[in-house]
CSV table of all heavy atoms in Angstrom, one decimal:
chain,number,residue,atom,x,y,z
E,274,ASN,N,-31.7,-124.6,12.9
E,274,ASN,CA,-31.8,-123.2,12.5
E,274,ASN,C,-32.7,-122.3,13.4
E,274,ASN,O,-32.6,-121.1,13.4
E,274,ASN,CB,-32.3,-123.0,11.1
E,274,ASN,CG,-31.4,-123.6,10.1
E,274,ASN,OD1,-30.2,-123.3,10.2
E,274,ASN,ND2,-31.9,-124.4,9.2
E,275,VAL,N,-33.6,-123.0,14.2
E,275,VAL,CA,-34.6,-122.1,14.9
E,275,VAL,C,-35.1,-122.9,16.1
E,275,VAL,O,-35.2,-124.1,16.1
E,275,VAL,CB,-35.7,-121.7,13.9
E,275,VAL,CG1,-36.5,-122.9,13.4
E,275,VAL,CG2,-36.7,-120.7,14.6
E,276,CYS,N,-35.5,-122.2,17.1
E,276,CYS,CA,-36.2,-122.7,18.3
E,276,CYS,C,-37.4,-121.9,18.6
E,276,CYS,O,-37.4,-120.7,18.3
E,276,CYS,CB,-35.3,-122.6,19.6
E,276,CYS,SG,-33.9,-123.7,19.5
E,277,HIS,N,-38.5,-122.5,19.0
E,277,HIS,CA,-39.6,-121.8,19.5
E,277,HIS,C,-40.2,-122.4,20.7
E,277,HIS,O,-40.0,-123.6,21.0
E,277,HIS,CB,-40.7,-121.5,18.4
E,277,HIS,CG,-41.5,-122.7,18.1
E,277,HIS,ND1,-42.5,-123.1,18.9
E,277,HIS,CD2,-41.6,-123.5,17.0
E,277,HIS,CE1,-43.2,-124.1,18.4
E,277,HIS,NE2,-42.6,-124.4,17.2
E,278,PHE,N,-40.8,-121.6,21.5
E,278,PHE,CA,-41.3,-122.0,22.8
E,278,PHE,C,-42.8,-122.3,22.7
E,278,PHE,O,-43.4,-122.1,21.7
E,278,PHE,CB,-41.0,-121.0,23.8
E,278,PHE,CG,-39.5,-120.7,23.9
E,278,PHE,CD1,-38.8,-119.8,23.1
E,278,PHE,CD2,-38.7,-121.5,24.8
E,278,PHE,CE1,-37.5,-119.6,23.2
E,278,PHE,CE2,-37.3,-121.4,24.9
E,278,PHE,CZ,-36.7,-120.4,24.1
E,279,GLY,N,-43.4,-122.9,23.8
E,279,GLY,CA,-44.7,-123.4,23.8
E,279,GLY,C,-45.8,-122.3,23.5
E,279,GLY,O,-45.5,-121.1,23.6
E,280,SER,N,-46.9,-122.8,23.0
E,280,SER,CA,-48.0,-121.9,22.6
E,280,SER,C,-48.4,-121.0,23.8
E,280,SER,O,-48.7,-121.5,24.9
E,280,SER,CB,-49.2,-122.8,22.2
E,280,SER,OG,-50.3,-121.9,21.9
E,281,GLY,N,-48.4,-119.7,23.5
E,281,GLY,CA,-48.9,-118.7,24.5
E,281,GLY,C,-47.9,-118.5,25.7
E,281,GLY,O,-48.2,-118.0,26.7
E,282,LYS,N,-46.6,-119.0,25.5
E,282,LYS,CA,-45.7,-119.0,26.6
E,282,LYS,C,-44.4,-118.2,26.2
E,282,LYS,O,-44.0,-118.3,25.1
E,282,LYS,CB,-45.3,-120.4,27.1
E,282,LYS,CG,-46.6,-121.1,27.6
E,282,LYS,CD,-46.3,-122.5,28.0
E,282,LYS,CE,-47.7,-123.0,28.5
E,282,LYS,NZ,-47.7,-124.2,29.1
E,283,ASP,N,-43.8,-117.5,27.2
E,283,ASP,CA,-42.5,-116.9,27.0
E,283,ASP,C,-41.4,-118.0,27.1
E,283,ASP,O,-41.7,-119.1,27.6
E,283,ASP,CB,-42.3,-115.8,28.0
E,283,ASP,CG,-43.4,-114.7,27.8
E,283,ASP,OD1,-43.6,-114.3,26.6
E,283,ASP,OD2,-43.9,-114.3,28.8
E,284,GLY,N,-40.2,-117.7,26.8
E,284,GLY,CA,-39.2,-118.7,26.8
E,284,GLY,C,-38.0,-118.3,27.7
E,284,GLY,O,-37.8,-117.2,28.0
E,285,GLN,N,-37.3,-119.4,28.1
E,285,GLN,CA,-36.1,-119.2,29.0
E,285,GLN,C,-35.0,-120.0,28.4
E,285,GLN,O,-35.1,-121.1,28.1
E,285,GLN,CB,-36.4,-119.7,30.4
E,285,GLN,CG,-35.3,-119.6,31.3
E,285,GLN,CD,-35.7,-120.1,32.7
E,285,GLN,OE1,-36.6,-119.6,33.3
E,285,GLN,NE2,-35.0,-121.1,33.2
E,286,ILE,N,-33.8,-119.3,28.2
E,286,ILE,CA,-32.6,-119.9,27.7
E,286,ILE,C,-31.6,-119.8,28.8
E,286,ILE,O,-31.2,-118.7,29.3
E,286,ILE,CB,-32.1,-119.1,26.5
E,286,ILE,CG1,-33.2,-119.0,25.4
E,286,ILE,CG2,-30.8,-119.7,25.9
E,286,ILE,CD1,-33.0,-117.9,24.4
E,287,ASP,N,-31.1,-121.0,29.3
E,287,ASP,CA,-30.1,-121.0,30.3
E,287,ASP,C,-28.7,-121.4,29.7
E,287,ASP,O,-28.6,-122.2,28.9
E,287,ASP,CB,-30.4,-122.0,31.4
E,287,ASP,CG,-31.5,-121.5,32.3
E,287,ASP,OD1,-31.7,-120.3,32.5
E,287,ASP,OD2,-32.3,-122.3,32.9
E,288,ILE,N,-27.7,-120.7,30.2
E,288,ILE,CA,-26.3,-120.8,29.7
E,288,ILE,C,-25.4,-121.0,30.9
E,288,ILE,O,-25.4,-120.3,31.8
E,288,ILE,CB,-25.9,-119.6,28.9
E,288,ILE,CG1,-26.8,-119.3,27.8
E,288,ILE,CG2,-24.4,-119.7,28.5
E,288,ILE,CD1,-26.8,-117.9,27.2
E,289,GLU,N,-24.6,-122.1,30.8
E,289,GLU,CA,-23.5,-122.3,31.8
E,289,GLU,C,-22.2,-122.2,31.1
E,289,GLU,O,-22.0,-122.9,30.1
E,289,GLU,CB,-23.7,-123.7,32.5
E,289,GLU,CG,-22.6,-123.9,33.5
E,289,GLU,CD,-22.7,-125.3,34.2
E,289,GLU,OE1,-23.7,-125.9,34.1
E,289,GLU,OE2,-21.7,-125.7,34.8
E,290,LEU,N,-21.3,-121.4,31.5
E,290,LEU,CA,-20.0,-121.2,30.9
E,290,LEU,C,-18.9,-122.0,31.7
E,290,LEU,O,-19.2,-122.3,32.9
E,290,LEU,CB,-19.6,-119.7,30.9
E,290,LEU,CG,-20.6,-118.8,30.2
E,290,LEU,CD1,-20.2,-117.3,30.4
E,290,LEU,CD2,-20.7,-119.1,28.8
E,291,PRO,N,-17.8,-122.4,31.1
E,291,PRO,CA,-16.8,-123.2,31.8
E,291,PRO,C,-16.2,-122.5,33.0
E,291,PRO,O,-15.8,-123.1,34.0
E,291,PRO,CB,-15.8,-123.5,30.7
E,291,PRO,CG,-16.3,-123.0,29.5
E,291,PRO,CD,-17.5,-122.2,29.7
E,292,GLU,N,-16.2,-121.1,32.9
E,292,GLU,CA,-15.6,-120.3,34.0
E,292,GLU,C,-16.3,-119.0,34.0
E,292,GLU,O,-16.9,-118.6,33.1
E,292,GLU,CB,-14.1,-120.1,33.8
E,292,GLU,CG,-13.7,-119.4,32.6
E,292,GLU,CD,-12.2,-119.4,32.3
E,292,GLU,OE1,-11.6,-120.4,32.5
E,292,GLU,OE2,-11.7,-118.3,31.9
E,293,PRO,N,-16.3,-118.3,35.2
E,293,PRO,CA,-16.9,-117.0,35.2
E,293,PRO,C,-16.4,-116.0,34.2
E,293,PRO,O,-15.2,-115.9,34.0
E,293,PRO,CB,-16.6,-116.5,36.6
E,293,PRO,CG,-16.4,-117.7,37.4
E,293,PRO,CD,-15.7,-118.7,36.5
E,294,THR,N,-17.3,-115.4,33.5
E,294,THR,CA,-17.0,-114.5,32.3
E,294,THR,C,-17.8,-113.3,32.3
E,294,THR,O,-19.0,-113.4,32.7
E,294,THR,CB,-17.2,-115.3,31.0
E,294,THR,OG1,-16.5,-116.5,31.1
E,294,THR,CG2,-16.8,-114.5,29.8
E,295,SER,N,-17.3,-112.2,31.9
E,295,SER,CA,-18.1,-110.9,31.8
E,295,SER,C,-18.8,-111.0,30.5
E,295,SER,O,-18.3,-111.3,29.4
E,295,SER,CB,-17.2,-109.7,31.8
E,295,SER,OG,-16.5,-109.6,33.0
E,296,VAL,N,-20.1,-110.6,30.5
E,296,VAL,CA,-21.0,-110.5,29.4
E,296,VAL,C,-21.3,-109.0,29.2
E,296,VAL,O,-21.9,-108.4,30.1
E,296,VAL,CB,-22.2,-111.4,29.4
E,296,VAL,CG1,-23.2,-111.0,28.3
E,296,VAL,CG2,-21.9,-112.8,29.4
E,297,HIS,N,-20.8,-108.4,28.2
E,297,HIS,CA,-21.1,-107.0,27.9
E,297,HIS,C,-22.4,-106.7,27.2
E,297,HIS,O,-23.0,-105.6,27.4
E,297,HIS,CB,-19.9,-106.4,27.1
E,297,HIS,CG,-18.6,-106.4,27.9
E,297,HIS,ND1,-18.2,-105.4,28.7
E,297,HIS,CD2,-17.6,-107.3,27.9
E,297,HIS,CE1,-17.0,-105.7,29.2
E,297,HIS,NE2,-16.7,-106.8,28.8
E,298,ALA,N,-22.8,-107.6,26.4
E,298,ALA,CA,-24.0,-107.4,25.6
E,298,ALA,C,-24.5,-108.7,25.1
E,298,ALA,O,-23.7,-109.7,25.0
E,298,ALA,CB,-23.8,-106.5,24.4
E,299,VAL,N,-25.8,-108.8,24.8
E,299,VAL,CA,-26.4,-110.0,24.2
E,299,VAL,C,-27.3,-109.6,23.0
E,299,VAL,O,-28.0,-108.6,23.1
E,299,VAL,CB,-27.3,-110.7,25.3
E,299,VAL,CG1,-28.1,-111.9,24.7
E,299,VAL,CG2,-26.5,-111.1,26.5
Side-chain angles (χ1 to χ4, degrees):
N274 295 313
V275 64
C276 291
H277 75 74
F278 299 89
S280 174
K282 299 179 182 191
D283 299 313
Q285 178 177 301
I286 305 160
D287 285 335
I288 302 162
E289 179 181 343
L290 304 175
E292 60 187 43
T294 304
S295 294
V296 172
H297 295 271
V299 175

